[in-house]
Each structure stands twice: as C-alpha cells, then as structure tokens.
C-alpha cells in the first residue's frame, strides 16, 4: 500500500508540474529561477522534474519490482532533500516550488515532504529486499495486500492519505481558518475599542494629513522644490505642521541640471490638524519655504507656469 | 521625533511662523498659474531638465560609519554607499532620524550619485514593505496575514497603525478589518522576528 | 509602444517588490515575465496576458477596456498631482484590480479610480513617496 500512496503523491505532484498552467507561478521565487537565469528556464526545469516524478509514480504503482521502484522513490526523496538543502543554504528566502499556492520560504514542512517520499521509498525498497530473507514491511505489491487484507490495507491507505494531506495539502485553510472565524463570532471583533480606537475620535492620523497634503493644490504648487519625504511633523494650536526639505535655485532652475544645484530649503505646510480626506470643505493649507542657511523666506512660485516634474525620469 | 529639545522647539516655532505667514492655498490657483487640465492637454507633460537623474538603491545595511554613511549590500550582490545628510528624510514605520537605522535593516534609497559613487540620499525608506495579503486572523494586537502561501504576523502599533476602507480617509480604527479580505499592507519589516509593523492597511470593498 | 506621448490609460498606481529582495519580498520572484527587479524601473500591468487578466479582472471594476500590453512594453507614467514622470518596462502582472474597485486617489479634487498599475520601488519613488502607498497616475506610451 505504501507504493500506491507514494506513487499517488508523486503522480499528483508530477502531473501538476508537468501539465499545470501555474507551473511558471510555481517556479517564480525558487532558487532555480535565480540560478538558471530566468523564469522560462526554471519553468522548463520544473516541468522536467514533474515528468521524472510522474515516471517514478507510474513505476511505483504499476511495476511489481519493489527493489527497483523503491530505490527510485528513495532516490527522488533524497534528491528533493538535497535540492531543498542547497536552496536553503544559497538562497534562504527562496520558495521551494513544491506547489503554486505555497510561496513561503523553505521550511520544515518542505523538508518533511521530501522525508515522506524518502521514507516511503525506503519502505518499498525494504519490501524488495525481503527476497533476500529480510522482513517485508509493505507486504508485497499493493494489489496483493488489498486482496489479502482489505480492511488493514484501506486503513493504512487512509492514514497515509491524511499524513499526505497534512504535508502536501492546505490544512491551514481547512482547519485553522474556520476555527479563527468561529472565535471571532463567539467573542466579537477584538479590535473594537482596541489600541487604535482609544484616542480622540476626531483626531486625524499624521499619515491622513500627509495624504490630504499630497493630493492638494498646495502640494502641486511647490512640489518642484521638494526632494525628500516627510522629515518631521508637529501640532501647535490646532495647526498641524509638516516639514519637507528640498532644493531651490531660480537662477539655475531649467538651466544646466548640475548635481545638487540649488539652495537647500525647508518646505513647511500648515493645515487644520483635524482636516482629513473626508472633510466637507477643501482644506486650507499654508505654505512657507525657508532657506536653510540664511533663514530667509523664499518665493518658489515666481515665474513658474506649471507644476514641475522635479524628480525627472530614468529608464 | 519625540525628543524635542529647546533648540528644536525654537526652530519649529520659527518654521511654524514661516508657514502660517506664507501663501494660503484653498483649492484654487493662489500661487501662480496651476491648471491640471491644461497640463494634461499636452500629449505628455514636459519634464524639468534642471534636475539631474536620480539614483536608486536597495539592499540590506551591512555597516554604518559615523552614524550617517550606510554600507548596503544589494539583493543581487552589488555594493552601495548611502550618505544620509541633514536634508535626507528617513522613514522607518514613521518619519524618524538616522539614530533609528540599524545594521541588518533593509532599505530603499533615492538620491543623487556623487562622483565617488556614493549616493547622497534625498529619501530613505527603511524596512518598508507594501504587501498584497489576505487577512487570515485578527487578534487584539496583531493580524495574521496570508502572503505568498505563507503566513506573516502584522503587528498593530498603537498610534502608528492606520486603516483605509474602500478608499476612504485614513483612520486609526482597525475594527473594520474582516477575515478573508484582500488587503494592501504598508509597513515596516522587523528583521529580528520577520513580522511587519503595520503603518497602513488598505482594504477594498 | 514606447516612453512617448500617446495617452494609454489613467487610474491608481501602487508599488510592489519583485526579484531577489530582503524581508518578506524575498519570496516574490521575478514576476510573470521572469525579469522583474525592485531596483529597476519596472511595472506590472493588469492585462499583461490572458492568464493575467483572469487574476486581476479590471473589467469587474468597469475598467474592461484596458488594452493588452505584454512583457517588455514601455510606458511613461506621470503622477497626477506633481506631474513628475518615469519610464517603465512591464515585467509582471498586477495589481489585483478587482479587490479594490472604486478606490480613488485624488489631486485637488480630481480623482483617479481603480488600481491599474503596480510599480517597483525604484519607479514609484521617482513620482511619489513609498510611504504614500498609492497615487493617481496618467499613463502614456
């Protein structure tokens, strides 16, 4: 029965790799993709592995020569484990390519899958060695085992199938998620009144002010000067201040594009600390641009006819 | 950001006055001719030639010299040197300072390349990730997030984590997040345990 | 198809990571075209192929007319508000438009709805701050 079980698992896994539409998805993120120089080659390699798995599966299921088929399966399991070990050593973040759904980095479960095939192959191999006077743990070809003791054989098959499902299937989705849903139904949403909702209900998170600013005309008007992301923020007397840094040089703007051209400036925006994207009226936003070295106010809009594309482009 | 000294307060007072005394923009063209429709009337907006092409780098920080020069190993093995200046913005879950940047952190940096190959950074985003996930578990201080077939822990950080529901304004109320929803999580990866501190979770309909 | 002046589409853009990377991005892989890299000016288009369309389904958000642009297509992406621009090459399939129907990114009251483009950090950071997560764009080719 072990041969049937391992053959079934290898057959499913091999045919998915060989014929599946998702094989490129499966190959992406694997060490194969990185080492073979691209997804097309990694996909071809994965399909070749799938074909080999399918052949071993057919041999396991159809051929009554456990010595050979067991050795093949054990070899396949060893190969998988060696590949996983190599991938983990050379590219720890890569996924194993075992299934299209599972793009998580190689972990214990991936090694357990290889171990399952290796152990199954070893049992079948041991069965083959029974000819040399050793005990036969798998009890001969699966059809003979099924004929001689159908209840025991089917029980073994069912237990093996559960183990295979735990290793190769998606038990999380089937078991853990429904349990979590049930817990939410029974005990309510844990984030009602949680850490995020303890403050002033009218308070706008700073990110909300930034979002409002970056979609405003004020931003559009001075964005050609701004080069940084948000540097700092503070609230004072109902206002929220957001500071950015940038470069401004009216003499050279549009001239030679020299590196670092321009005077370093602070661009400070002031807005209602409680204004957000869903505020009923357009926000009032004030803008001040200050020369970092002299402390003088700078008028950065003089002579500008359009909002500029400050950051330029690259390919 | 929380360590506000007297000099910081003085500088902020000065900058606040500059902003409040500056131009006011109220959804109208208060500062020169600005007309988005007119800008798009041209087949493509012209680019400003004044700006040198920007450089971009990504990778893991392998060392920090003098608190401001970051040695970075790119994901394809390349080496970068990123210089933080007093004009560089640094994001690590929130706008912060160079003191919060650590060896082992990942980063994306945009700036100008100097003649010696160092990138003088305009903006550095440390450990930032923007992940397409599925909500697979909701706890009091964390979310379980399905990502690429695995599961990530998304930590809810009081005062930092926000949510946006179907494009609405950001709120710090995360109680609208439901099991099974697709979400985009912007956050800061934590190298020490692989979890992600959530800055913003955006969920659809 | 080039980084040129012909209008193609408009909508909301987000950013994503791909290729070898640090942190959770490490398992992202090279994308649908196999050569996507976070540090290059690359992008993901929801109609990069028929299989891609099946995943993103922009038609469910009323964006059914998005034309097919496969691996290697070049586009100019212009940020709605600042008008800053970047030229990108399509190397992946995305974003998952159908999950965020109706979501809008606005500039001065003019809104672009529905996610129709994913940019790598290199590309996105040239037109907006990575910490903004999403932004309104116009796309030319």
């Amino acid at each position: 029965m072990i041969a049937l079980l391992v053959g079934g698992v290898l057959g499913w896994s091999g045919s998915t790799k060989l014929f599946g539409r998702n094989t490129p998805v499966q190959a992406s993120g694997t060490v194969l993709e990185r080492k073979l120089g691209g997804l097309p080659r990694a996909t071809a390699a994965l399909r070749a592995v799938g074909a080999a798995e399918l052949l071993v599966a057919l041999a396991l299921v159809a051929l009554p020569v456990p010595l050979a088929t067991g050795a093949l399966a054990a070899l396949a399991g060893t190969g998988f484990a060696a590949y996983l070990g190599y991938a983990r050593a050379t590219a720890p973040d890569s996924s194993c390519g075992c299934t299209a759904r599972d793009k998580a980095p190689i972990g214990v479960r991936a090694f357990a899958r290889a171990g399952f095939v290796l152990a199954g192959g070893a049992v079948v191999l041991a069965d083959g060695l029974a000819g040399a006077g050793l005990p036969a743990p798998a009890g001969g070809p699966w059809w003979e085992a099924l004929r001689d003791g159908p209840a025991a054989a089917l029980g073994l098959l069912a237990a093996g199938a559960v183990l295979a499902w735990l290793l190769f299937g998606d038990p999380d989705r089937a078991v853990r998620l429904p349990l979590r849903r049930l817990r939410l139904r029974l005990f309510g949403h844990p984030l009602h009144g949680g850490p995020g909702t303890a403050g002033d209900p009218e308070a706008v998170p700073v990110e909300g002010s930034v979002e409002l600013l970056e979609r405003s005309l004020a931003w559009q008007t001075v964005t050609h000067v701004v080069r940084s992301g948000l540097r700092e923020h503070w609230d004072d007397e109902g206002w929220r201040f957001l500071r950015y840094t940038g470069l401004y040089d009216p003499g050279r703007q549009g001239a030679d594009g020299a590196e670092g051209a321009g005077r370093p400036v602070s661009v400070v925006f002031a807005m209602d600390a409680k204004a957000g994207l869903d505020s009923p009226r357009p926000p009032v936003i004030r803008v001040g641009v200050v020369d970092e070295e002299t402390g003088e106010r700078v008028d950065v809009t003089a002579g500008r006819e359009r909002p500029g594309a400050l950051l330029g482009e690259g390919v | 950001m929380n360590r506000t000294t007297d000099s910081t307060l003085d500088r902020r007072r000065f900058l606040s006055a500059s902003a409040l005394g500056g131009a006011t923009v109220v959804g109208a063209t208060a500062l020169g001719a600005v007309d988005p429709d007119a800008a798009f009337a041209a087949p493509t907006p012209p680019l400003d030639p004044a700006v040198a092409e920007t450089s971009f780098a990504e990778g893991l920080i392998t060392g920090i010299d003098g608190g401001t020069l970051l040695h970075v190993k790119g994901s394809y093995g390349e080496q970068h040197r990123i210089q933080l200046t007093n004009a560089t913005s640094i994001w690590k879950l929130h706008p912060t300072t160079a003191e919060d940047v650590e060896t082992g952190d990942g980063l994306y940096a945009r700036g100008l390349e100097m003649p010696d190959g160092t990138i003088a950074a305009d903006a550095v985003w440390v450990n930032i990730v923007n992940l397409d996930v599925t909500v697979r578990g909701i706890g009091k201080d964390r979310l379980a997030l399905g990502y690429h077939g695995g599961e990530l822990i998304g930590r809810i950080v009081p005062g930092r984590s926000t949510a946006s529901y179907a494009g609405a304004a950001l709120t710090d109320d995360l109680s609208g997040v439901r099991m099974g929803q697709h979400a985009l999580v912007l956050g800061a990866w934590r190298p020490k345990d692989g979890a992600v501190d959530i800055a913003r979770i955006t969920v659809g309909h | 198809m080039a980084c040129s002046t012909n209008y193609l589409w408009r909508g909301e853009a987000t950013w994503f990571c791909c290729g070898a990377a640090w942190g959770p991005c490490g398992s992202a892989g090279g994308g649908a075209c196999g050569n996507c890299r976070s540090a290059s000016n690359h992008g993901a288009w929801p109609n990069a192929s028929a299989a891609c369309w099946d995943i993103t389904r922009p038609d469910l958000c009323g964006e059914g007319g998005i034309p097919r642009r496969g691996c290697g297509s070049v586009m100019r992406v212009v940020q709605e508000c600042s008008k800053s621009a970047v030229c990108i090459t399509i190397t992946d399939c995305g974003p998952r438009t159908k999950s965020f129907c109706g979501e809008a990114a606005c500039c001065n009251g003019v809104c672009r709805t529905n996610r129709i483009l994913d940019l790598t950090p290199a590309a996105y950071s040239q037109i907006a701050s990575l910490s903004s997560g999403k932004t309104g764009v116009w796309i030319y080719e």
Side-chain angles (χ1 to χ4, degrees):
Chain A
M1 294 316 290
I2 300 293
L4 182 63
L5 193 64
V6 177
V9 165
L10 283 177
W12 166 75
S13 158
S15 55
T16 324
K17 288 191 184 86
L18 186 58
F19 305 115
R21 268 178 74 186
N22 281 332
T23 307
V25 180
Q26 206 168 332
S28 70
T30 63
V31 73
L32 289 175
E33 185 189 6
R34 301 185 195 181
K35 299 292 176 189
L36 297 180
L39 191 62
R41 287 182 186 176
T43 308
L46 209 58
R47 290 203 195 279
V49 171
E53 281 181 77
L54 209 54
L55 284 177
V56 176
L58 286 173
L60 274 169
V61 173
L63 299 182
V65 279
L67 200 61
T69 56
L72 271 177
L75 194 65
T78 312
F80 293 147
Y83 160 75
L84 292 171
Y86 169 74
R88 186 139 171 98
T90 55
D93 293 330
S94 63
S95 65
C96 77
C98 311
T99 70
R101 291 182 75 91
D102 189 353
K103 306 299 289 179
I106 293 166
V108 176
R109 199 148 166 248
F111 281 99
R113 288 173 184 148
F116 177 87
V117 176
L118 175 58
V123 171
V124 179
L125 180 63
D127 195 37
L129 291 172
L134 294 169
W142 61 270
W143 51 87
E144 283 179 17
L146 194 61
R147 187 192 56 210
D148 298 343
L154 288 175
L156 183 66
L157 191 63
V162 168
L163 182 63
W165 173 70
L166 287 173
L167 289 176
F168 294 84
D170 194 356
D172 258 15
R173 189 168 290 271
V175 178
R176 200 153 68 166
L177 292 189
L179 283 178
R180 285 176 176 168
R181 280 204 172 88
L182 181 67
R183 195 180 61 195
L184 287 181
R185 281 215 186 90
L186 292 177
F187 302 109
H189 199 296
L191 294 173
H192 278 302
T197 56
D200 177 358
E202 283 185 39
V204 171
V206 172
E207 285 300 315
S209 300
V210 172
E211 195 168 53
L212 182 68
L213 169 68
E214 291 182 355
R215 296 175 179 191
S216 71
L217 188 65
W219 179 254
Q220 194 177 7
T221 308
V222 295
T223 187
H224 63 285
V225 175
V226 175
R227 293 195 64 93
S228 75
L230 179 64
R231 290 291 311 279
E232 61 177 329
H233 59 87
W234 62 94
D235 289 3
D236 192 17
E237 295 182 351
W239 290 94
R240 175 161 289 164
F241 297 91
L242 304 169
R243 182 170 85 94
Y244 294 75
T245 45
L247 289 173
Y248 179 65
D249 188 339
R252 298 173 81 172
Q253 197 91 17
D256 59 4
E259 263 178 12
R263 286 146 58 183
V265 291
S266 270
V267 184
V268 185
F269 299 91
M271 66 177 77
D272 182 347
K274 293 189 174 174
L277 274 184
D278 47 6
S279 299
R281 285 184 304 164
V284 174
I285 299 180
R286 297 189 180 196
V287 194
V289 181
V290 178
D291 190 306
E292 285 277 275
E293 285 161 13
T294 65
E296 291 170 359
R297 282 256 303 280
V298 181
D299 178 7
V300 299
T301 59
R304 287 197 67 82
E305 294 177 354
R306 61 174 175 79
L310 181 77
L311 299 176
E313 65 172 337
V315 177
Chain B
M1 217 54 48
N2 296 324
R3 296 177 291 274
T4 43
T5 60
D6 287 350
S7 64
T8 306
L9 286 174
D10 285 347
R11 190 175 51 78
R12 283 184 175 177
R13 268 188 214 113
F14 168 69
L15 291 169
S16 300
S18 300
L20 293 176
T24 304
V25 190
V26 194
T29 54
L31 291 182
V34 184
D35 181 356
D37 295 327
F40 285 119
T44 187
L47 295 173
D48 196 330
V51 179
E53 193 160 304
T54 56
S55 291
F56 181 87
E58 66 79 41
L60 284 170
I61 299 170
T62 54
I64 303 174
D65 281 349
T68 58
L69 181 65
L70 312 180
H71 296 273
V72 172
K73 186 181 182 197
S75 295
Y76 288 87
E78 67 277 27
Q79 301 288 337
H80 304 287
R81 286 193 312 279
I82 313 285
Q83 180 67 55
L84 306 178
T85 72
N86 58 10
T88 308
S89 65
I90 300 169
W91 186 98
K92 189 175 178 183
L93 185 61
H94 52 91
T96 185
T97 58
E99 292 162 18
D100 282 348
V101 183
E102 296 170 42
T103 300
D105 283 342
L107 66 67
Y108 296 117
R110 172 173 53 69
L112 284 179
E113 189 168 335
M114 299 288 112
D116 69 352
T118 303
I119 294 175
D122 290 322
V124 170
W125 295 273
V126 180
N127 292 337
I128 193 168
V129 292
N130 198 29
L131 306 174
D132 194 355
V133 300
T134 309
V135 178
R136 297 183 59 172
I138 302 171
K140 267 203 171 316
D141 58 356
R142 63 187 57 201
L143 301 176
L145 305 169
Y147 177 67
H148 277 185
E151 198 163 280
L152 270 177
I153 296 299
R155 290 163 34 105
I156 298 167
V157 185
R160 302 283 183 207
S161 300
T162 60
S164 170
Y165 304 102
L170 285 171
T171 167
D172 60 3
D173 178 2
L174 272 65
S175 63
V177 175
R178 299 193 310 272
M179 286 283 285
Q181 271 182 318
H182 279 294
L184 194 69
V185 166
L186 182 89
W189 167 60
R190 294 158 49 94
K192 61 182 173 188
D193 59 12
V196 169
D197 284 334
I198 298 173
R200 172 190 312 181
I201 179 166
T202 309
V203 292
H205 43 86
Chain C
M1 290 180 283
C3 188
S4 191
T5 59
N6 303 309
Y7 167 77
L8 179 65
W9 212 256
R10 76 276 168 277
E12 196 182 60
T14 53
W15 67 268
F16 74 118
C17 48
C18 60
W22 43 266
C25 291
S27 59
C33 310
N35 58 343
C36 186
R37 289 189 178 196
S38 289
S40 300
N41 290 337
H42 288 169
W45 185 244
N47 193 3
S49 66
C52 171
W53 181 269
D54 290 344
I55 298 167
T56 60
R57 294 300 302 272
D59 55 319
L60 298 179
C61 304
E63 302 277 353
I66 290 185
R68 172 76 49 83
R69 292 292 182 269
C71 296
S73 300
V74 174
M75 299 174 185
R76 179 194 294 273
V77 184
V78 180
Q79 206 267 347
E80 169 99 65
C81 220
S82 67
K83 310 297 179 289
S84 46
V86 62
C87 287
I88 60 157
T89 304
I90 296 302
T91 56
D92 202 355
C93 164
R96 198 194 301 261
T97 314
K98 67 177 179 186
S99 298
F100 299 91
C101 280
E103 189 180 76
C106 308
C107 177
N108 192 29
V110 180
C111 297
R112 301 291 151 228
T113 49
N114 297 324
R115 295 185 182 183
I116 45 89
L117 187 67
D118 245 356
L119 295 171
T120 54
Y124 190 94
S125 67
Q126 291 196 48
I127 62 167
S129 172
L130 292 179
S131 55
S132 68
K134 58 188 191 327
T135 193
V137 295
W138 288 68
I139 303 168
Y140 303 85
E141 62 176 3

